[in-house]
Amino acid sequence: MPLLRNIGLLIQSLPECQSELRQLGDAALAWRDGVLVWVGSERELPGEFTSEVSYDASGHMVVPGLIDCHTHLAFGGWRADEFEQRLSGTSYLEIGMAGGGILRTVNQTRAASEEELFLRSMKFLNRMARLGITTVECKSGYGLDLVNELKLLKVYRRLSDEHPVRTVPTLLAAHVVPEDFRSKRSQYVDFICEELIPEVAANNLARFCDAYVEDSAFQLDEARKILICGDDHGMRPKLHADQLTCGRGAELAAELGAVSADHLENISPQGIEALAEAGVVAVALPLASLYLQQKPLCCRRLIDNGVEVAVSTDFNPGSAPSYHLPLAMMLGCIPGGMIPAEVLTSVTISAAKALALEEEIGSLEAGKSADFAVIDSPDPAHWMYHFRENACVQTFVRGEEVWNRDRDESCHET
Ligand code: NIG
Ligand code: FE
């Protein structure tokens, strides 16, 4: 049975509240068939756990594998020119209205083959694994027709079969209304509900159904219809809510019992109350607010009002062209107002809840998947404070080593 020994500080992420991490000095872990069977102080390690394979954490900190619970992983092209335009004063919405933005990526994604998208996404996952990321939620939403939404979801299915990092697929056909439906938007909503959702459900291609509630995307009643239909087909709702304007998306997330409400830069006080009452996880996406030069979400305010907060990258070619989750964590501290313990909870057990996977991943305890990262920092505060390009030394998913800094190779390099 494999062991990890000589752990300087083990972060279990078993919080009573967001700021409490259960920590253990001089610890060890043991697992069998990818599942943790023992977690505790090394000096209490039972004799029967003598091991065939024993890894040495060299006194480093070990944390639960990081969970990126909101990404748009597969897409064609990039939009660096739009980044430059925004820096010169053109807004994200103006760029979108002039033919750029999400619809531009839709065209580039439709032009890319499933194989191209798959190989590119594999590379992204390899890089993410190096940062200690072991689970990645992946949205469709750059296809916006039957063939191309299915193409994206098939890419995610192949990734889950062929890459060790765990991927969790989400249908986001309600990202924006495609060009050819602009004058008949209700027909696009009907297409999603009557054709796409049943097809995706029949092939078990997505775990969640997401919708972008925004003036430039979907109205509340359109999103409600799509999300209820998704739920009826076994895909629990998630929402892009209150990102650019306050559209009462958080209230809709609460009304529908969504698994998460994401973005929320313009959430209303009533929205905060509704999320707290309904127990919906708020997903903060500080890279998106940074890149769009928006006032960042005050995570502190949400936590202080009883809302559990997860932090994620929102990796996509427009609003958040980086998969650097530790950077998003740092931004969750400054300017988001979280303390390091809270931000570590936010990318482990809270992010697991935002994917309804908290029984399987997100904390280090017997019975959970052996997903963990060895971090070259003495504790969470030092990790966030001395921010580096990468503090991760080693990453394990389901008990398998997928990245080792000393060998400087991903076990799944393409
Ligand atoms: O989460 N808000 C909508 N969708 C993405 C942006 C996608 C894009 O700009 O391509 C987001 O920020
Ligand atoms: Fe997003």
Short mmCIF file of all heavy atoms in Angstrom, two decimals, residues 158-198:
data_model
loop_
_atom_site.label_atom_id
_atom_site.label_comp_id
_atom_site.label_asym_id
_atom_site.label_seq_id
_atom_site.Cartn_x
_atom_site.Cartn_y
_atom_site.Cartn_z
N ARG A 158 -13.38 12.51 -23.67
CA ARG A 158 -12.07 11.89 -23.98
C ARG A 158 -11.03 12.29 -22.95
O ARG A 158 -10.19 11.48 -22.57
CB ARG A 158 -11.60 12.35 -25.37
CG ARG A 158 -12.12 11.49 -26.48
CD ARG A 158 -11.50 11.90 -27.80
NE ARG A 158 -10.11 11.46 -27.95
CZ ARG A 158 -9.31 11.88 -28.93
NH1 ARG A 158 -9.75 12.74 -29.83
NH2 ARG A 158 -8.07 11.43 -29.01
N LEU A 159 -11.06 13.54 -22.52
CA LEU A 159 -10.10 13.96 -21.50
C LEU A 159 -10.29 13.12 -20.24
O LEU A 159 -9.32 12.70 -19.61
CB LEU A 159 -10.29 15.43 -21.15
CG LEU A 159 -9.90 16.46 -22.21
CD1 LEU A 159 -10.27 17.85 -21.74
CD2 LEU A 159 -8.41 16.38 -22.54
N SER A 160 -11.53 12.90 -19.88
CA SER A 160 -11.75 12.17 -18.63
C SER A 160 -11.32 10.71 -18.79
O SER A 160 -10.87 10.08 -17.83
CB SER A 160 -13.18 12.36 -18.15
OG SER A 160 -13.91 11.21 -18.29
N ASP A 161 -11.37 10.19 -20.00
CA ASP A 161 -10.88 8.82 -20.24
C ASP A 161 -9.35 8.76 -20.32
O ASP A 161 -8.75 7.76 -19.96
CB ASP A 161 -11.43 8.27 -21.56
CG ASP A 161 -12.92 8.02 -21.50
OD1 ASP A 161 -13.46 7.97 -20.37
OD2 ASP A 161 -13.56 7.90 -22.57
N GLU A 162 -8.74 9.82 -20.83
CA GLU A 162 -7.31 9.71 -21.20
C GLU A 162 -6.36 10.55 -20.37
O GLU A 162 -5.15 10.42 -20.50
CB GLU A 162 -7.15 10.04 -22.70
CG GLU A 162 -7.87 9.04 -23.58
CD GLU A 162 -7.71 9.31 -25.06
OE1 GLU A 162 -6.61 9.70 -25.48
OE2 GLU A 162 -8.71 9.15 -25.79
N HIS A 163 -6.87 11.46 -19.58
CA HIS A 163 -5.98 12.28 -18.75
C HIS A 163 -6.26 12.00 -17.27
O HIS A 163 -7.42 11.88 -16.88
CB HIS A 163 -6.19 13.78 -19.03
CG HIS A 163 -5.02 14.60 -18.59
ND1 HIS A 163 -4.80 14.89 -17.26
CD2 HIS A 163 -3.99 15.14 -19.27
CE1 HIS A 163 -3.67 15.58 -17.16
NE2 HIS A 163 -3.16 15.76 -18.37
N PRO A 164 -5.20 11.89 -16.46
CA PRO A 164 -5.46 11.54 -15.05
C PRO A 164 -6.16 12.63 -14.24
O PRO A 164 -6.82 12.32 -13.24
CB PRO A 164 -4.05 11.28 -14.49
CG PRO A 164 -3.12 11.95 -15.43
CD PRO A 164 -3.77 11.95 -16.77
N VAL A 165 -6.02 13.90 -14.64
CA VAL A 165 -6.73 14.95 -13.90
C VAL A 165 -8.23 14.74 -14.10
O VAL A 165 -8.69 14.50 -15.21
CB VAL A 165 -6.29 16.36 -14.38
CG1 VAL A 165 -7.23 17.44 -13.87
CG2 VAL A 165 -4.86 16.64 -13.93
N ARG A 166 -8.97 14.80 -12.99
CA ARG A 166 -10.42 14.56 -13.06
C ARG A 166 -11.10 15.75 -13.73
O ARG A 166 -10.83 16.89 -13.37
CB ARG A 166 -10.93 14.39 -11.62
CG ARG A 166 -12.39 14.10 -11.50
CD ARG A 166 -12.85 14.02 -10.06
NE ARG A 166 -12.45 12.81 -9.38
CZ ARG A 166 -11.37 12.65 -8.63
NH1 ARG A 166 -10.54 13.67 -8.43
NH2 ARG A 166 -11.09 11.52 -8.04
N THR A 167 -11.94 15.50 -14.72
CA THR A 167 -12.67 16.59 -15.36
C THR A 167 -14.17 16.41 -15.11
O THR A 167 -14.66 15.28 -15.02
CB THR A 167 -12.41 16.63 -16.88
OG1 THR A 167 -12.55 15.31 -17.40
CG2 THR A 167 -11.02 17.15 -17.19
N VAL A 168 -14.85 17.52 -14.97
CA VAL A 168 -16.29 17.51 -14.69
C VAL A 168 -16.98 18.38 -15.75
O VAL A 168 -16.78 19.59 -15.77
CB VAL A 168 -16.57 18.09 -13.27
CG1 VAL A 168 -18.06 18.07 -12.97
CG2 VAL A 168 -15.78 17.33 -12.22
N PRO A 169 -17.76 17.76 -16.65
CA PRO A 169 -18.31 18.52 -17.77
C PRO A 169 -19.62 19.24 -17.45
O PRO A 169 -20.49 18.72 -16.75
CB PRO A 169 -18.56 17.43 -18.81
CG PRO A 169 -18.82 16.20 -18.01
CD PRO A 169 -18.06 16.32 -16.72
N THR A 170 -19.74 20.45 -18.00
CA THR A 170 -20.96 21.26 -17.82
C THR A 170 -21.44 21.76 -19.18
O THR A 170 -20.64 22.26 -19.98
CB THR A 170 -20.65 22.47 -16.92
OG1 THR A 170 -20.34 22.00 -15.61
CG2 THR A 170 -21.85 23.41 -16.80
N LEU A 171 -22.75 21.64 -19.41
CA LEU A 171 -23.34 22.18 -20.63
C LEU A 171 -23.65 23.66 -20.44
O LEU A 171 -24.41 24.03 -19.54
CB LEU A 171 -24.65 21.41 -20.94
CG LEU A 171 -25.47 21.94 -22.11
CD1 LEU A 171 -24.73 21.73 -23.44
CD2 LEU A 171 -26.83 21.27 -22.17
N LEU A 172 -23.04 24.50 -21.27
CA LEU A 172 -23.30 25.96 -21.20
C LEU A 172 -23.75 26.45 -22.58
O LEU A 172 -23.19 27.38 -23.15
CB LEU A 172 -22.03 26.70 -20.70
CG LEU A 172 -22.06 28.23 -20.66
CD1 LEU A 172 -23.13 28.78 -19.72
CD2 LEU A 172 -20.71 28.82 -20.29
N ALA A 173 -24.78 25.79 -23.11
CA ALA A 173 -25.30 26.24 -24.42
C ALA A 173 -25.91 27.63 -24.27
O ALA A 173 -25.97 28.40 -25.23
CB ALA A 173 -26.32 25.25 -24.92
N ALA A 174 -26.37 27.97 -23.07
CA ALA A 174 -26.93 29.30 -22.80
C ALA A 174 -25.81 30.27 -22.41
O ALA A 174 -25.84 30.90 -21.35
CB ALA A 174 -27.99 29.21 -21.71
N HIS A 175 -24.81 30.38 -23.30
CA HIS A 175 -23.69 31.29 -23.04
C HIS A 175 -24.03 32.65 -23.64
O HIS A 175 -24.06 33.66 -22.94
CB HIS A 175 -22.41 30.68 -23.64
CG HIS A 175 -21.14 31.25 -23.10
ND1 HIS A 175 -19.92 30.88 -23.56
CD2 HIS A 175 -20.90 32.17 -22.13
CE1 HIS A 175 -18.97 31.54 -22.90
NE2 HIS A 175 -19.56 32.33 -22.03
N VAL A 176 -24.24 32.68 -24.94
CA VAL A 176 -24.86 33.85 -25.60
C VAL A 176 -25.77 33.32 -26.69
O VAL A 176 -25.67 32.15 -27.08
CB VAL A 176 -23.82 34.82 -26.25
CG1 VAL A 176 -23.14 35.67 -25.22
CG2 VAL A 176 -22.83 34.08 -27.13
N VAL A 177 -26.64 34.20 -27.22
CA VAL A 177 -27.51 33.78 -28.32
C VAL A 177 -26.67 33.84 -29.60
O VAL A 177 -26.05 34.86 -29.90
CB VAL A 177 -28.72 34.73 -28.43
CG1 VAL A 177 -29.59 34.35 -29.63
CG2 VAL A 177 -29.55 34.70 -27.14
N PRO A 178 -26.59 32.72 -30.35
CA PRO A 178 -25.75 32.75 -31.56
C PRO A 178 -26.32 33.70 -32.61
O PRO A 178 -27.51 34.02 -32.60
CB PRO A 178 -25.78 31.29 -32.04
CG PRO A 178 -26.91 30.65 -31.34
CD PRO A 178 -27.21 31.42 -30.10
N GLU A 179 -25.43 34.13 -33.52
CA GLU A 179 -25.79 35.17 -34.50
C GLU A 179 -27.06 34.83 -35.29
O GLU A 179 -27.94 35.68 -35.44
CB GLU A 179 -24.63 35.34 -35.49
CG GLU A 179 -23.97 36.69 -35.33
CD GLU A 179 -22.48 36.69 -35.71
OE1 GLU A 179 -22.00 35.70 -36.31
OE2 GLU A 179 -21.83 37.69 -35.39
N ASP A 180 -27.17 33.60 -35.76
CA ASP A 180 -28.30 33.26 -36.63
C ASP A 180 -29.63 33.15 -35.87
O ASP A 180 -30.68 32.98 -36.49
CB ASP A 180 -28.00 31.96 -37.41
CG ASP A 180 -27.35 30.89 -36.56
OD1 ASP A 180 -26.74 31.24 -35.53
OD2 ASP A 180 -27.45 29.69 -36.90
N PHE A 181 -29.59 33.26 -34.56
CA PHE A 181 -30.85 33.24 -33.78
C PHE A 181 -31.15 34.61 -33.18
O PHE A 181 -32.07 34.74 -32.37
CB PHE A 181 -30.77 32.21 -32.65
CG PHE A 181 -30.97 30.79 -33.11
CD1 PHE A 181 -29.91 30.01 -33.53
CD2 PHE A 181 -32.24 30.22 -33.11
CE1 PHE A 181 -30.08 28.70 -33.94
CE2 PHE A 181 -32.44 28.91 -33.53
CZ PHE A 181 -31.35 28.15 -33.94
N ARG A 182 -30.36 35.61 -33.54
CA ARG A 182 -30.48 36.91 -32.86
C ARG A 182 -31.90 37.47 -32.93
O ARG A 182 -32.42 38.01 -31.97
CB ARG A 182 -29.47 37.89 -33.44
CG ARG A 182 -29.29 39.08 -32.52
CD ARG A 182 -28.01 39.80 -32.77
NE ARG A 182 -26.86 39.16 -32.17
CZ ARG A 182 -25.60 39.47 -32.47
NH1 ARG A 182 -25.35 40.40 -33.37
NH2 ARG A 182 -24.60 38.89 -31.86
N SER A 183 -32.57 37.31 -34.06
CA SER A 183 -33.92 37.89 -34.19
C SER A 183 -35.00 36.88 -33.79
O SER A 183 -36.19 37.16 -33.92
CB SER A 183 -34.14 38.35 -35.62
OG SER A 183 -33.94 37.24 -36.47
N LYS A 184 -34.59 35.71 -33.34
CA LYS A 184 -35.57 34.69 -32.93
C LYS A 184 -35.03 33.93 -31.73
O LYS A 184 -34.88 32.71 -31.76
CB LYS A 184 -35.90 33.76 -34.10
CG LYS A 184 -34.67 33.37 -34.94
CD LYS A 184 -35.00 32.45 -36.09
CE LYS A 184 -33.68 32.02 -36.74
NZ LYS A 184 -33.72 31.00 -37.71
N ARG A 185 -34.70 34.68 -30.69
CA ARG A 185 -34.00 34.09 -29.55
C ARG A 185 -34.80 33.00 -28.84
O ARG A 185 -34.23 32.07 -28.29
CB ARG A 185 -33.50 35.16 -28.57
CG ARG A 185 -34.50 36.20 -28.15
CD ARG A 185 -33.85 37.32 -27.35
NE ARG A 185 -33.22 36.84 -26.14
CZ ARG A 185 -31.98 37.18 -25.76
NH1 ARG A 185 -31.28 38.02 -26.51
NH2 ARG A 185 -31.48 36.70 -24.65
N SER A 186 -36.15 33.15 -28.87
CA SER A 186 -36.93 32.12 -28.17
C SER A 186 -36.74 30.76 -28.86
O SER A 186 -36.82 29.70 -28.22
CB SER A 186 -38.40 32.50 -28.10
OG SER A 186 -38.94 32.45 -29.38
N GLN A 187 -36.47 30.80 -30.16
CA GLN A 187 -36.24 29.52 -30.86
C GLN A 187 -34.93 28.87 -30.41
O GLN A 187 -34.80 27.65 -30.41
CB GLN A 187 -36.20 29.75 -32.37
CG GLN A 187 -37.58 30.00 -32.95
CD GLN A 187 -37.53 30.19 -34.46
OE1 GLN A 187 -36.66 29.68 -35.16
NE2 GLN A 187 -38.48 30.96 -34.98
N TYR A 188 -33.95 29.71 -30.03
CA TYR A 188 -32.69 29.14 -29.53
C TYR A 188 -32.92 28.48 -28.16
O TYR A 188 -32.42 27.38 -27.90
CB TYR A 188 -31.59 30.21 -29.45
CG TYR A 188 -30.25 29.62 -29.04
CD1 TYR A 188 -29.62 28.66 -29.83
CD2 TYR A 188 -29.66 29.97 -27.83
CE1 TYR A 188 -28.42 28.08 -29.45
CE2 TYR A 188 -28.45 29.40 -27.44
CZ TYR A 188 -27.84 28.45 -28.25
OH TYR A 188 -26.65 27.87 -27.86
N VAL A 189 -33.72 29.15 -27.33
CA VAL A 189 -34.05 28.56 -26.02
C VAL A 189 -34.79 27.23 -26.23
O VAL A 189 -34.48 26.22 -25.58
CB VAL A 189 -34.90 29.55 -25.18
CG1 VAL A 189 -35.36 28.91 -23.88
CG2 VAL A 189 -34.10 30.83 -24.91
N ASP A 190 -35.71 27.23 -27.19
CA ASP A 190 -36.44 25.98 -27.47
C ASP A 190 -35.50 24.88 -27.98
O ASP A 190 -35.61 23.72 -27.60
CB ASP A 190 -37.54 26.21 -28.52
CG ASP A 190 -38.66 27.08 -27.97
OD1 ASP A 190 -38.73 27.24 -26.73
OD2 ASP A 190 -39.44 27.63 -28.77
N PHE A 191 -34.56 25.28 -28.83
CA PHE A 191 -33.59 24.30 -29.35
C PHE A 191 -32.79 23.67 -28.19
O PHE A 191 -32.61 22.45 -28.11
CB PHE A 191 -32.63 24.98 -30.35
CG PHE A 191 -31.30 24.33 -30.45
CD1 PHE A 191 -31.14 23.08 -31.08
CD2 PHE A 191 -30.17 24.92 -29.87
CE1 PHE A 191 -29.89 22.47 -31.14
CE2 PHE A 191 -28.92 24.30 -29.94
CZ PHE A 191 -28.79 23.06 -30.57
N ILE A 192 -32.36 24.53 -27.26
CA ILE A 192 -31.60 23.99 -26.11
C ILE A 192 -32.46 23.00 -25.33
O ILE A 192 -32.01 21.90 -24.98
CB ILE A 192 -31.12 25.13 -25.18
CG1 ILE A 192 -30.12 26.05 -25.90
CG2 ILE A 192 -30.49 24.57 -23.91
CD1 ILE A 192 -29.68 27.25 -25.07
N CYS A 193 -33.71 23.40 -25.07
CA CYS A 193 -34.55 22.56 -24.21
C CYS A 193 -35.05 21.32 -24.93
O CYS A 193 -35.14 20.24 -24.33
CB CYS A 193 -35.75 23.37 -23.71
SG CYS A 193 -35.26 24.70 -22.60
N GLU A 194 -35.38 21.46 -26.19
CA GLU A 194 -36.05 20.34 -26.87
C GLU A 194 -35.08 19.40 -27.58
O GLU A 194 -35.37 18.22 -27.74
CB GLU A 194 -37.09 20.88 -27.86
CG GLU A 194 -38.29 21.45 -27.11
CD GLU A 194 -39.13 22.41 -27.96
OE1 GLU A 194 -39.06 22.32 -29.20
OE2 GLU A 194 -39.82 23.26 -27.36
N GLU A 195 -33.95 19.94 -28.01
CA GLU A 195 -33.02 19.06 -28.75
C GLU A 195 -31.71 18.79 -28.00
O GLU A 195 -31.32 17.65 -27.81
CB GLU A 195 -32.66 19.70 -30.11
CG GLU A 195 -33.79 19.66 -31.11
CD GLU A 195 -33.36 20.24 -32.45
OE1 GLU A 195 -32.35 19.77 -33.02
OE2 GLU A 195 -34.04 21.19 -32.91
N LEU A 196 -31.06 19.87 -27.61
CA LEU A 196 -29.71 19.70 -27.08
C LEU A 196 -29.69 19.00 -25.71
O LEU A 196 -28.96 18.03 -25.51
CB LEU A 196 -29.03 21.08 -27.00
CG LEU A 196 -27.56 21.09 -26.66
CD1 LEU A 196 -26.74 20.19 -27.56
CD2 LEU A 196 -27.01 22.52 -26.72
N ILE A 197 -30.49 19.51 -24.78
CA ILE A 197 -30.45 18.93 -23.43
C ILE A 197 -30.82 17.43 -23.47
O ILE A 197 -30.09 16.60 -22.90
CB ILE A 197 -31.35 19.73 -22.44
CG1 ILE A 197 -30.66 21.07 -22.13
CG2 ILE A 197 -31.64 18.94 -21.17
CD1 ILE A 197 -31.44 22.00 -21.23
N PRO A 198 -31.90 17.04 -24.19
CA PRO A 198 -32.20 15.60 -24.22
C PRO A 198 -31.05 14.77 -24.82
O PRO A 198 -30.74 13.69 -24.32
CB PRO A 198 -33.46 15.52 -25.10
CG PRO A 198 -34.09 16.87 -24.97
CD PRO A 198 -32.96 17.85 -24.81
#
